């Protein structure tokens, strides 16, 4: 099997240049407002064959994952910082706000976070790292009594995806309100 998005197999120099060029063109298309990321069009604009694009990115989602890797890394770093914060509940709120802002800014990034199916190796590794950091954060918040014992990292990610969808379907002015509702909903019943 050829390497896909995020796989760590060492690429030949020309293959690495082609992959970098494909990502550069895809980022430019997104910046220009074209979020279709049609692989044929990306290949043409990158000056490579369609087969080259498909060798690196077997589908649009694989390309989106590769484009989202940097944001996912930032989210992991933020989760790790929140887990080591003196006030774990404040860390959780900061992390949720950080993640929500990125999801609202980049719907493709939100789709990567939402996807539960097939993902590339790099995305799987980053999601596992994220879940580990969020689990540590939740453990700290549980000690304060502010999170139900049954809530897991994956639950928080799914709930946050729901909040992002709700904010996108309404006005951005409700973002803080919805985050408050989410945090209240994570609390144990009284």
């Amino acid at each position: 099997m050829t390497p896909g998005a995020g796989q760590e197999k060492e690429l030949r120099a020309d293959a690495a240049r082609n992959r970098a060029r494909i990502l550069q063109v895809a980022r430019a298309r997104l910046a220009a407002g074209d979020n279709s990321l049609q692989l044929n069009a990306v290949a043409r604009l990158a000056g490579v064959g369609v087969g080259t694009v498909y060798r690196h990115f077997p589908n649009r989602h694989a390309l989106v994952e590769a484009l989202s890797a940097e944001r996912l890394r930032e989210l992991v770093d933020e989760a790790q910082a929140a887990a080591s914060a003196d006030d774990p509940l404040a860390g959780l709120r900061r992390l949720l706000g950080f993640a929500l802002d990125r999801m609202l800014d980049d719907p493709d990034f939100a789709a990567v976070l939402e996807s539960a199916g097939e993902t590339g190796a790099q995305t799987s590794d980053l999601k596992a790292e994220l879940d580990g950091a969020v689990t540590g954060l939740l453990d700290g918040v549980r000690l304060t009594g502010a999170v139900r014992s049954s809530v897991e990292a994956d639950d928080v990610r799914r709930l946050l995806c729901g909040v992002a969808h709700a904010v996108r379907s309404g006005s951005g002015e409700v973002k803080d309100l919805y985050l408050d509702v989410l945090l209240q909903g994570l609390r144990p019943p009284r």
Side-chain angles (χ1 to χ4, degrees):
M1 179 178 218
T2 59
Q7 292 182 337
E8 298 300 321
K9 184 176 179 186
E10 195 67 33
L11 295 176
R12 293 184 333 253
D14 61 330
R17 281 191 304 273
N18 286 341
R19 186 177 194 282
R21 179 73 181 132
I22 292 164
L23 289 170
Q24 177 186 23
V25 166
R27 279 189 192 95
R29 297 306 313 142
L30 289 173
D34 176 11
N35 66 350
S36 68
L37 289 182
Q38 295 175 344
L39 298 185
N40 293 349
V42 170
R44 183 178 44 76
L45 293 168
V48 300
V50 173
T52 299
V53 173
Y54 279 93
R55 258 191 307 283
H56 290 283
F57 310 103
N59 54 46
R60 181 186 186 282
H61 188 76
L63 178 57
V64 167
E65 282 187 15
L67 292 169
S68 297
E70 187 176 321
R71 281 199 167 195
L72 194 50
R73 175 80 255 163
E74 290 171 356
L75 184 57
V76 168
D77 293 344
E78 186 67 25
Q80 290 169 338
S84 63
D86 290 336
D87 181 350
L89 184 57
L92 178 61
R93 179 159 183 61
R94 188 179 69 242
L95 173 64
L96 294 175
F98 180 89
L100 184 58
D101 287 342
R102 269 77 195 155
M103 293 169 75
L104 294 173
D105 181 50
D106 185 351
D108 286 324
F109 176 65
V112 169
L113 281 180
E114 291 172 9
S115 67
E118 187 176 320
T119 60
Q122 183 181 28
T123 301
S124 293
D125 292 347
L126 286 168
K127 280 185 171 181
E129 201 174 340
L130 176 63
D131 286 348
V134 172
T135 295
L137 175 59
L138 289 173
D139 289 345
V141 178
R142 274 194 253 295
L143 293 174
T144 70
V147 171
R148 298 167 189 245
S149 62
S150 60
V151 172
E152 302 293 334
D154 191 49
D155 299 322
V156 172
R157 186 172 59 234
R158 288 179 184 172
L159 289 166
L160 190 59
C161 290
V163 170
H165 177 73
V167 172
R168 276 193 303 269
S169 67
S171 76
E173 297 171 10
V174 296
K175 181 185 81 167
D176 290 331
L177 170 66
Y178 290 179
L179 275 178
D180 287 342
V181 170
L182 173 58
L183 285 166
Q184 287 299 318
L186 294 174
R187 292 187 178 278
R190 295 176 196 216

mmCIF file with all atom_site columns, all heavy atoms in Angstrom, residues 43-66:
data_model
loop_
_atom_site.group_PDB
_atom_site.id
_atom_site.type_symbol
_atom_site.label_atom_id
_atom_site.label_alt_id
_atom_site.label_comp_id
_atom_site.label_asym_id
_atom_site.label_entity_id
_atom_site.label_seq_id
_atom_site.pdbx_PDB_ins_code
_atom_site.Cartn_x
_atom_site.Cartn_y
_atom_site.Cartn_z
_atom_site.occupancy
_atom_site.B_iso_or_equiv
_atom_site.pdbx_formal_charge
_atom_site.auth_seq_id
_atom_site.auth_comp_id
_atom_site.auth_asym_id
_atom_site.auth_atom_id
_atom_site.pdbx_PDB_model_num
ATOM 1   N N   . ALA A 1 43 ? -4.629  18.565 -8.660  1.00 0.00 ? 43 ALA A N   1
ATOM 2   C CA  . ALA A 1 43 ? -3.528  17.990 -9.450  1.00 0.00 ? 43 ALA A CA  1
ATOM 3   C C   . ALA A 1 43 ? -3.136  18.932 -10.582 1.00 0.00 ? 43 ALA A C   1
ATOM 4   O O   . ALA A 1 43 ? -1.949  19.213 -10.787 1.00 0.00 ? 43 ALA A O   1
ATOM 5   C CB  . ALA A 1 43 ? -3.942  16.629 -10.003 1.00 0.00 ? 43 ALA A CB  1
ATOM 6   N N   . ARG A 1 44 ? -4.117  19.423 -11.303 1.00 0.00 ? 44 ARG A N   1
ATOM 7   C CA  . ARG A 1 44 ? -3.841  20.323 -12.428 1.00 0.00 ? 44 ARG A CA  1
ATOM 8   C C   . ARG A 1 44 ? -3.111  21.574 -11.950 1.00 0.00 ? 44 ARG A C   1
ATOM 9   O O   . ARG A 1 44 ? -2.090  21.971 -12.513 1.00 0.00 ? 44 ARG A O   1
ATOM 10  C CB  . ARG A 1 44 ? -5.158  20.692 -13.124 1.00 0.00 ? 44 ARG A CB  1
ATOM 11  C CG  . ARG A 1 44 ? -4.978  21.581 -14.352 1.00 0.00 ? 44 ARG A CG  1
ATOM 12  C CD  . ARG A 1 44 ? -6.305  21.888 -15.049 1.00 0.00 ? 44 ARG A CD  1
ATOM 13  N NE  . ARG A 1 44 ? -7.417  22.240 -14.186 1.00 0.00 ? 44 ARG A NE  1
ATOM 14  C CZ  . ARG A 1 44 ? -7.582  23.424 -13.581 1.00 0.00 ? 44 ARG A CZ  1
ATOM 15  N NH1 . ARG A 1 44 ? -6.691  24.371 -13.738 1.00 0.00 ? 44 ARG A NH1 1
ATOM 16  N NH2 . ARG A 1 44 ? -8.635  23.657 -12.821 1.00 0.00 ? 44 ARG A NH2 1
ATOM 17  N N   . LEU A 1 45 ? -3.618  22.191 -10.872 1.00 0.00 ? 45 LEU A N   1
ATOM 18  C CA  . LEU A 1 45 ? -3.006  23.421 -10.358 1.00 0.00 ? 45 LEU A CA  1
ATOM 19  C C   . LEU A 1 45 ? -1.620  23.184 -9.757  1.00 0.00 ? 45 LEU A C   1
ATOM 20  O O   . LEU A 1 45 ? -0.777  24.079 -9.769  1.00 0.00 ? 45 LEU A O   1
ATOM 21  C CB  . LEU A 1 45 ? -3.931  24.063 -9.316  1.00 0.00 ? 45 LEU A CB  1
ATOM 22  C CG  . LEU A 1 45 ? -5.246  24.604 -9.884  1.00 0.00 ? 45 LEU A CG  1
ATOM 23  C CD1 . LEU A 1 45 ? -6.208  24.959 -8.760  1.00 0.00 ? 45 LEU A CD1 1
ATOM 24  C CD2 . LEU A 1 45 ? -4.988  25.805 -10.786 1.00 0.00 ? 45 LEU A CD2 1
ATOM 25  N N   . ALA A 1 46 ? -1.399  21.982 -9.236  1.00 0.00 ? 46 ALA A N   1
ATOM 26  C CA  . ALA A 1 46 ? -0.088  21.654 -8.658  1.00 0.00 ? 46 ALA A CA  1
ATOM 27  C C   . ALA A 1 46 ? 0.907   21.218 -9.725  1.00 0.00 ? 46 ALA A C   1
ATOM 28  O O   . ALA A 1 46 ? 2.100   21.072 -9.434  1.00 0.00 ? 46 ALA A O   1
ATOM 29  C CB  . ALA A 1 46 ? -0.243  20.554 -7.609  1.00 0.00 ? 46 ALA A CB  1
ATOM 30  N N   . GLY A 1 47 ? 0.417   21.007 -10.933 1.00 0.00 ? 47 GLY A N   1
ATOM 31  C CA  . GLY A 1 47 ? 1.304   20.590 -12.008 1.00 0.00 ? 47 GLY A CA  1
ATOM 32  C C   . GLY A 1 47 ? 1.766   19.150 -11.885 1.00 0.00 ? 47 GLY A C   1
ATOM 33  O O   . GLY A 1 47 ? 2.863   18.801 -12.312 1.00 0.00 ? 47 GLY A O   1
ATOM 34  N N   . VAL A 1 48 ? 0.916   18.321 -11.310 1.00 0.00 ? 48 VAL A N   1
ATOM 35  C CA  . VAL A 1 48 ? 1.231   16.894 -11.171 1.00 0.00 ? 48 VAL A CA  1
ATOM 36  C C   . VAL A 1 48 ? 0.079   16.084 -11.748 1.00 0.00 ? 48 VAL A C   1
ATOM 37  O O   . VAL A 1 48 ? -1.016  16.608 -11.953 1.00 0.00 ? 48 VAL A O   1
ATOM 38  C CB  . VAL A 1 48 ? 1.470   16.484 -9.690  1.00 0.00 ? 48 VAL A CB  1
ATOM 39  C CG1 . VAL A 1 48 ? 2.640   17.259 -9.093  1.00 0.00 ? 48 VAL A CG1 1
ATOM 40  C CG2 . VAL A 1 48 ? 0.219   16.682 -8.845  1.00 0.00 ? 48 VAL A CG2 1
ATOM 41  N N   . GLY A 1 49 ? 0.339   14.820 -11.995 1.00 0.00 ? 49 GLY A N   1
ATOM 42  C CA  . GLY A 1 49 ? -0.708  13.957 -12.506 1.00 0.00 ? 49 GLY A CA  1
ATOM 43  C C   . GLY A 1 49 ? -1.735  13.622 -11.426 1.00 0.00 ? 49 GLY A C   1
ATOM 44  O O   . GLY A 1 49 ? -1.427  13.652 -10.229 1.00 0.00 ? 49 GLY A O   1
ATOM 45  N N   . VAL A 1 50 ? -2.916  13.290 -11.867 1.00 0.00 ? 50 VAL A N   1
ATOM 46  C CA  . VAL A 1 50 ? -3.980  12.922 -10.941 1.00 0.00 ? 50 VAL A CA  1
ATOM 47  C C   . VAL A 1 50 ? -3.566  11.716 -10.099 1.00 0.00 ? 50 VAL A C   1
ATOM 48  O O   . VAL A 1 50 ? -3.833  11.656 -8.892  1.00 0.00 ? 50 VAL A O   1
ATOM 49  C CB  . VAL A 1 50 ? -5.293  12.645 -11.697 1.00 0.00 ? 50 VAL A CB  1
ATOM 50  C CG1 . VAL A 1 50 ? -6.365  12.107 -10.768 1.00 0.00 ? 50 VAL A CG1 1
ATOM 51  C CG2 . VAL A 1 50 ? -5.782  13.902 -12.390 1.00 0.00 ? 50 VAL A CG2 1
ATOM 52  N N   . GLY A 1 51 ? -2.877  10.771 -10.731 1.00 0.00 ? 51 GLY A N   1
ATOM 53  C CA  . GLY A 1 51 ? -2.409  9.586  -10.005 1.00 0.00 ? 51 GLY A CA  1
ATOM 54  C C   . GLY A 1 51 ? -1.469  9.944  -8.866  1.00 0.00 ? 51 GLY A C   1
ATOM 55  O O   . GLY A 1 51 ? -1.490  9.312  -7.812  1.00 0.00 ? 51 GLY A O   1
ATOM 56  N N   . THR A 1 52 ? -0.668  10.981 -9.053  1.00 0.00 ? 52 THR A N   1
ATOM 57  C CA  . THR A 1 52 ? 0.242   11.433 -7.995  1.00 0.00 ? 52 THR A CA  1
ATOM 58  C C   . THR A 1 52 ? -0.548  11.926 -6.794  1.00 0.00 ? 52 THR A C   1
ATOM 59  O O   . THR A 1 52 ? -0.222  11.603 -5.646  1.00 0.00 ? 52 THR A O   1
ATOM 60  C CB  . THR A 1 52 ? 1.169   12.549 -8.527  1.00 0.00 ? 52 THR A CB  1
ATOM 61  O OG1 . THR A 1 52 ? 1.940   12.017 -9.606  1.00 0.00 ? 52 THR A OG1 1
ATOM 62  C CG2 . THR A 1 52 ? 2.088   13.073 -7.443  1.00 0.00 ? 52 THR A CG2 1
ATOM 63  N N   . VAL A 1 53 ? -1.591  12.700 -7.055  1.00 0.00 ? 53 VAL A N   1
ATOM 64  C CA  . VAL A 1 53 ? -2.423  13.204 -5.958  1.00 0.00 ? 53 VAL A CA  1
ATOM 65  C C   . VAL A 1 53 ? -3.066  12.030 -5.228  1.00 0.00 ? 53 VAL A C   1
ATOM 66  O O   . VAL A 1 53 ? -3.026  11.950 -4.003  1.00 0.00 ? 53 VAL A O   1
ATOM 67  C CB  . VAL A 1 53 ? -3.496  14.195 -6.467  1.00 0.00 ? 53 VAL A CB  1
ATOM 68  C CG1 . VAL A 1 53 ? -4.452  14.572 -5.332  1.00 0.00 ? 53 VAL A CG1 1
ATOM 69  C CG2 . VAL A 1 53 ? -2.840  15.440 -7.032  1.00 0.00 ? 53 VAL A CG2 1
ATOM 70  N N   . TYR A 1 54 ? -3.630  11.092 -5.991  1.00 0.00 ? 54 TYR A N   1
ATOM 71  C CA  . TYR A 1 54 ? -4.323  9.961  -5.370  1.00 0.00 ? 54 TYR A CA  1
ATOM 72  C C   . TYR A 1 54 ? -3.360  9.026  -4.633  1.00 0.00 ? 54 TYR A C   1
ATOM 73  O O   . TYR A 1 54 ? -3.758  8.371  -3.679  1.00 0.00 ? 54 TYR A O   1
ATOM 74  C CB  . TYR A 1 54 ? -5.138  9.175  -6.409  1.00 0.00 ? 54 TYR A CB  1
ATOM 75  C CG  . TYR A 1 54 ? -6.471  9.833  -6.704  1.00 0.00 ? 54 TYR A CG  1
ATOM 76  C CD1 . TYR A 1 54 ? -6.611  10.732 -7.747  1.00 0.00 ? 54 TYR A CD1 1
ATOM 77  C CD2 . TYR A 1 54 ? -7.575  9.570  -5.907  1.00 0.00 ? 54 TYR A CD2 1
ATOM 78  C CE1 . TYR A 1 54 ? -7.826  11.337 -8.007  1.00 0.00 ? 54 TYR A CE1 1
ATOM 79  C CE2 . TYR A 1 54 ? -8.795  10.169 -6.151  1.00 0.00 ? 54 TYR A CE2 1
ATOM 80  C CZ  . TYR A 1 54 ? -8.912  11.056 -7.204  1.00 0.00 ? 54 TYR A CZ  1
ATOM 81  O OH  . TYR A 1 54 ? -10.124 11.659 -7.445  1.00 0.00 ? 54 TYR A OH  1
ATOM 82  N N   . ARG A 1 55 ? -2.104  8.965  -5.055  1.00 0.00 ? 55 ARG A N   1
ATOM 83  C CA  . ARG A 1 55 ? -1.119  8.157  -4.307  1.00 0.00 ? 55 ARG A CA  1
ATOM 84  C C   . ARG A 1 55 ? -0.890  8.739  -2.914  1.00 0.00 ? 55 ARG A C   1
ATOM 85  O O   . ARG A 1 55 ? -0.732  8.018  -1.945  1.00 0.00 ? 55 ARG A O   1
ATOM 86  C CB  . ARG A 1 55 ? 0.207   8.092  -5.068  1.00 0.00 ? 55 ARG A CB  1
ATOM 87  C CG  . ARG A 1 55 ? 0.432   6.802  -5.798  1.00 0.00 ? 55 ARG A CG  1
ATOM 88  C CD  . ARG A 1 55 ? 1.845   6.648  -6.309  1.00 0.00 ? 55 ARG A CD  1
ATOM 89  N NE  . ARG A 1 55 ? 2.337   7.759  -7.115  1.00 0.00 ? 55 ARG A NE  1
ATOM 90  C CZ  . ARG A 1 55 ? 2.026   7.992  -8.384  1.00 0.00 ? 55 ARG A CZ  1
ATOM 91  N NH1 . ARG A 1 55 ? 1.180   7.200  -9.000  1.00 0.00 ? 55 ARG A NH1 1
ATOM 92  N NH2 . ARG A 1 55 ? 2.545   9.015  -9.028  1.00 0.00 ? 55 ARG A NH2 1
ATOM 93  N N   . HIS A 1 56 ? -0.856  10.049 -2.831  1.00 0.00 ? 56 HIS A N   1
ATOM 94  C CA  . HIS A 1 56 ? -0.644  10.704 -1.536  1.00 0.00 ? 56 HIS A CA  1
ATOM 95  C C   . HIS A 1 56 ? -1.936  10.818 -0.730  1.00 0.00 ? 56 HIS A C   1
ATOM 96  O O   . HIS A 1 56 ? -1.919  10.695 0.505   1.00 0.00 ? 56 HIS A O   1
ATOM 97  C CB  . HIS A 1 56 ? -0.049  12.100 -1.737  1.00 0.00 ? 56 HIS A CB  1
ATOM 98  C CG  . HIS A 1 56 ? 1.357   12.095 -2.224  1.00 0.00 ? 56 HIS A CG  1
ATOM 99  N ND1 . HIS A 1 56 ? 2.422   11.827 -1.403  1.00 0.00 ? 56 HIS A ND1 1
ATOM 100 C CD2 . HIS A 1 56 ? 1.865   12.296 -3.459  1.00 0.00 ? 56 HIS A CD2 1
ATOM 101 C CE1 . HIS A 1 56 ? 3.532   11.886 -2.110  1.00 0.00 ? 56 HIS A CE1 1
ATOM 102 N NE2 . HIS A 1 56 ? 3.229   12.170 -3.364  1.00 0.00 ? 56 HIS A NE2 1
ATOM 103 N N   . PHE A 1 57 ? -3.028  11.090 -1.436  1.00 0.00 ? 57 PHE A N   1
ATOM 104 C CA  . PHE A 1 57 ? -4.318  11.356 -0.785  1.00 0.00 ? 57 PHE A CA  1
ATOM 105 C C   . PHE A 1 57 ? -5.407  10.600 -1.537  1.00 0.00 ? 57 PHE A C   1
ATOM 106 O O   . PHE A 1 57 ? -5.908  11.093 -2.547  1.00 0.00 ? 57 PHE A O   1
ATOM 107 C CB  . PHE A 1 57 ? -4.612  12.861 -0.768  1.00 0.00 ? 57 PHE A CB  1
ATOM 108 C CG  . PHE A 1 57 ? -3.465  13.674 -0.238  1.00 0.00 ? 57 PHE A CG  1
ATOM 109 C CD1 . PHE A 1 57 ? -2.628  14.380 -1.095  1.00 0.00 ? 57 PHE A CD1 1
ATOM 110 C CD2 . PHE A 1 57 ? -3.196  13.695 1.124   1.00 0.00 ? 57 PHE A CD2 1
ATOM 111 C CE1 . PHE A 1 57 ? -1.564  15.113 -0.603  1.00 0.00 ? 57 PHE A CE1 1
ATOM 112 C CE2 . PHE A 1 57 ? -2.120  14.423 1.615   1.00 0.00 ? 57 PHE A CE2 1
ATOM 113 C CZ  . PHE A 1 57 ? -1.302  15.131 0.747   1.00 0.00 ? 57 PHE A CZ  1
ATOM 114 N N   . PRO A 1 58 ? -5.782  9.415  -1.056  1.00 0.00 ? 58 PRO A N   1
ATOM 115 C CA  . PRO A 1 58 ? -6.726  8.585  -1.810  1.00 0.00 ? 58 PRO A CA  1
ATOM 116 C C   . PRO A 1 58 ? -8.122  9.190  -1.955  1.00 0.00 ? 58 PRO A C   1
ATOM 117 O O   . PRO A 1 58 ? -8.891  8.755  -2.814  1.00 0.00 ? 58 PRO A O   1
ATOM 118 C CB  . PRO A 1 58 ? -6.776  7.282  -1.019  1.00 0.00 ? 58 PRO A CB  1
ATOM 119 C CG  . PRO A 1 58 ? -6.131  7.555  0.283   1.00 0.00 ? 58 PRO A CG  1
ATOM 120 C CD  . PRO A 1 58 ? -5.286  8.769  0.136   1.00 0.00 ? 58 PRO A CD  1
ATOM 121 N N   . ASN A 1 59 ? -8.425  10.211 -1.156  1.00 0.00 ? 59 ASN A N   1
ATOM 122 C CA  . ASN A 1 59 ? -9.730  10.873 -1.264  1.00 0.00 ? 59 ASN A CA  1
ATOM 123 C C   . ASN A 1 59 ? -9.637  12.261 -0.641  1.00 0.00 ? 59 ASN A C   1
ATOM 124 O O   . ASN A 1 59 ? -8.609  12.623 -0.056  1.00 0.00 ? 59 ASN A O   1
ATOM 125 C CB  . ASN A 1 59 ? -10.833 10.036 -0.586  1.00 0.00 ? 59 ASN A CB  1
ATOM 126 C CG  . ASN A 1 59 ? -10.484 9.688  0.844   1.00 0.00 ? 59 ASN A CG  1
ATOM 127 O OD1 . ASN A 1 59 ? -10.047 10.528 1.632   1.00 0.00 ? 59 ASN A OD1 1
ATOM 128 N ND2 . ASN A 1 59 ? -10.653 8.415  1.194   1.00 0.00 ? 59 ASN A ND2 1
ATOM 129 N N   . ARG A 1 60 ? -10.692 13.030 -0.793  1.00 0.00 ? 60 ARG A N   1
ATOM 130 C CA  . ARG A 1 60 ? -10.701 14.405 -0.277  1.00 0.00 ? 60 ARG A CA  1
ATOM 131 C C   . ARG A 1 60 ? -10.464 14.437 1.225   1.00 0.00 ? 60 ARG A C   1
ATOM 132 O O   . ARG A 1 60 ? -9.750  15.290 1.737   1.00 0.00 ? 60 ARG A O   1
ATOM 133 C CB  . ARG A 1 60 ? -12.040 15.078 -0.620  1.00 0.00 ? 60 ARG A CB  1
ATOM 134 C CG  . ARG A 1 60 ? -12.112 16.518 -0.132  1.00 0.00 ? 60 ARG A CG  1
ATOM 135 C CD  . ARG A 1 60 ? -13.503 17.125 -0.338  1.00 0.00 ? 60 ARG A CD  1
ATOM 136 N NE  . ARG A 1 60 ? -13.526 18.528 0.006   1.00 0.00 ? 60 ARG A NE  1
ATOM 137 C CZ  . ARG A 1 60 ? -13.580 18.994 1.253   1.00 0.00 ? 60 ARG A CZ  1
ATOM 138 N NH1 . ARG A 1 60 ? -13.604 18.173 2.280   1.00 0.00 ? 60 ARG A NH1 1
ATOM 139 N NH2 . ARG A 1 60 ? -13.601 20.303 1.472   1.00 0.00 ? 60 ARG A NH2 1
ATOM 140 N N   . HIS A 1 61 ? -11.081 13.497 1.956   1.00 0.00 ? 61 HIS A N   1
ATOM 141 C CA  . HIS A 1 61 ? -10.933 13.497 3.408   1.00 0.00 ? 61 HIS A CA  1
ATOM 142 C C   . HIS A 1 61 ? -9.474  13.307 3.816   1.00 0.00 ? 61 HIS A C   1
ATOM 143 O O   . HIS A 1 61 ? -9.009  13.943 4.770   1.00 0.00 ? 61 HIS A O   1
ATOM 144 C CB  . HIS A 1 61 ? -11.820 12.424 4.046   1.00 0.00 ? 61 HIS A CB  1
ATOM 145 C CG  . HIS A 1 61 ? -11.842 12.507 5.536   1.00 0.00 ? 61 HIS A CG  1
ATOM 146 N ND1 . HIS A 1 61 ? -12.570 13.473 6.211   1.00 0.00 ? 61 HIS A ND1 1
ATOM 147 C CD2 . HIS A 1 61 ? -11.200 11.787 6.487   1.00 0.00 ? 61 HIS A CD2 1
ATOM 148 C CE1 . HIS A 1 61 ? -12.376 13.330 7.522   1.00 0.00 ? 61 HIS A CE1 1
ATOM 149 N NE2 . HIS A 1 61 ? -11.556 12.313 7.701   1.00 0.00 ? 61 HIS A NE2 1
ATOM 150 N N   . ALA A 1 62 ? -8.742  12.473 3.102   1.00 0.00 ? 62 ALA A N   1
ATOM 151 C CA  . ALA A 1 62 ? -7.318  12.270 3.411   1.00 0.00 ? 62 ALA A CA  1
ATOM 152 C C   . ALA A 1 62 ? -6.537  13.570 3.202   1.00 0.00 ? 62 ALA A C   1
ATOM 153 O O   . ALA A 1 62 ? -5.647  13.905 3.994   1.00 0.00 ? 62 ALA A O   1
ATOM 154 C CB  . ALA A 1 62 ? -6.742  11.150 2.551   1.00 0.00 ? 62 ALA A CB  1
ATOM 155 N N   . LEU A 1 63 ? -6.874  14.316 2.162   1.00 0.00 ? 63 LEU A N   1
ATOM 156 C CA  . LEU A 1 63 ? -6.233  15.612 1.925   1.00 0.00 ? 63 LEU A CA  1
ATOM 157 C C   . LEU A 1 63 ? -6.586  16.593 3.038   1.00 0.00 ? 63 LEU A C   1
ATOM 158 O O   . LEU A 1 63 ? -5.722  17.301 3.561   1.00 0.00 ? 63 LEU A O   1
ATOM 159 C CB  . LEU A 1 63 ? -6.654  16.157 0.556   1.00 0.00 ? 63 LEU A CB  1
ATOM 160 C CG  . LEU A 1 63 ? -6.108  17.535 0.165   1.00 0.00 ? 63 LEU A CG  1
ATOM 161 C CD1 . LEU A 1 63 ? -4.584  17.570 0.203   1.00 0.00 ? 63 LEU A CD1 1
ATOM 162 C CD2 . LEU A 1 63 ? -6.639  17.921 -1.223  1.00 0.00 ? 63 LEU A CD2 1
ATOM 163 N N   . VAL A 1 64 ? -7.845  16.616 3.426   1.00 0.00 ? 64 VAL A N   1
ATOM 164 C CA  . VAL A 1 64 ? -8.285  17.510 4.508   1.00 0.00 ? 64 VAL A CA  1
ATOM 165 C C   . VAL A 1 64 ? -7.574  17.156 5.813   1.00 0.00 ? 64 VAL A C   1
ATOM 166 O O   . VAL A 1 64 ? -7.160  18.040 6.568   1.00 0.00 ? 64 VAL A O   1
ATOM 167 C CB  . VAL A 1 64 ? -9.817  17.455 4.663   1.00 0.00 ? 64 VAL A CB  1
ATOM 168 C CG1 . VAL A 1 64 ? -10.271 18.110 5.950   1.00 0.00 ? 64 VAL A CG1 1
ATOM 169 C CG2 . VAL A 1 64 ? -10.488 18.112 3.460   1.00 0.00 ? 64 VAL A CG2 1
ATOM 170 N N   . GLU A 1 65 ? -7.414  15.864 6.088   1.00 0.00 ? 65 GLU A N   1
ATOM 171 C CA  . GLU A 1 65 ? -6.686  15.455 7.295   1.00 0.00 ? 65 GLU A CA  1
ATOM 172 C C   . GLU A 1 65 ? -5.264  15.991 7.282   1.00 0.00 ? 65 GLU A C   1
ATOM 173 O O   . GLU A 1 65 ? -4.780  16.504 8.296   1.00 0.00 ? 65 GLU A O   1
ATOM 174 C CB  . GLU A 1 65 ? -6.648  13.934 7.417   1.00 0.00 ? 65 GLU A CB  1
ATOM 175 C CG  . GLU A 1 65 ? -7.910  13.332 7.928   1.00 0.00 ? 65 GLU A CG  1
ATOM 176 C CD  . GLU A 1 65 ? -7.767  11.844 8.201   1.00 0.00 ? 65 GLU A CD  1
ATOM 177 O OE1 . GLU A 1 65 ? -6.633  11.329 8.260   1.00 0.00 ? 65 GLU A OE1 1
ATOM 178 O OE2 . GLU A 1 65 ? -8.804  11.194 8.364   1.00 0.00 ? 65 GLU A OE2 1
ATOM 179 N N   . ALA A 1 66 ? -4.600  15.878 6.147   1.00 0.00 ? 66 ALA A N   1
ATOM 180 C CA  . ALA A 1 66 ? -3.221  16.369 6.053   1.00 0.00 ? 66 ALA A CA  1
ATOM 181 C C   . ALA A 1 66 ? -3.171  17.880 6.260   1.00 0.00 ? 66 ALA A C   1
ATOM 182 O O   . ALA A 1 66 ? -2.272  18.393 6.934   1.00 0.00 ? 66 ALA A O   1
ATOM 183 C CB  . ALA A 1 66 ? -2.621  15.992 4.705   1.00 0.00 ? 66 ALA A CB  1
#
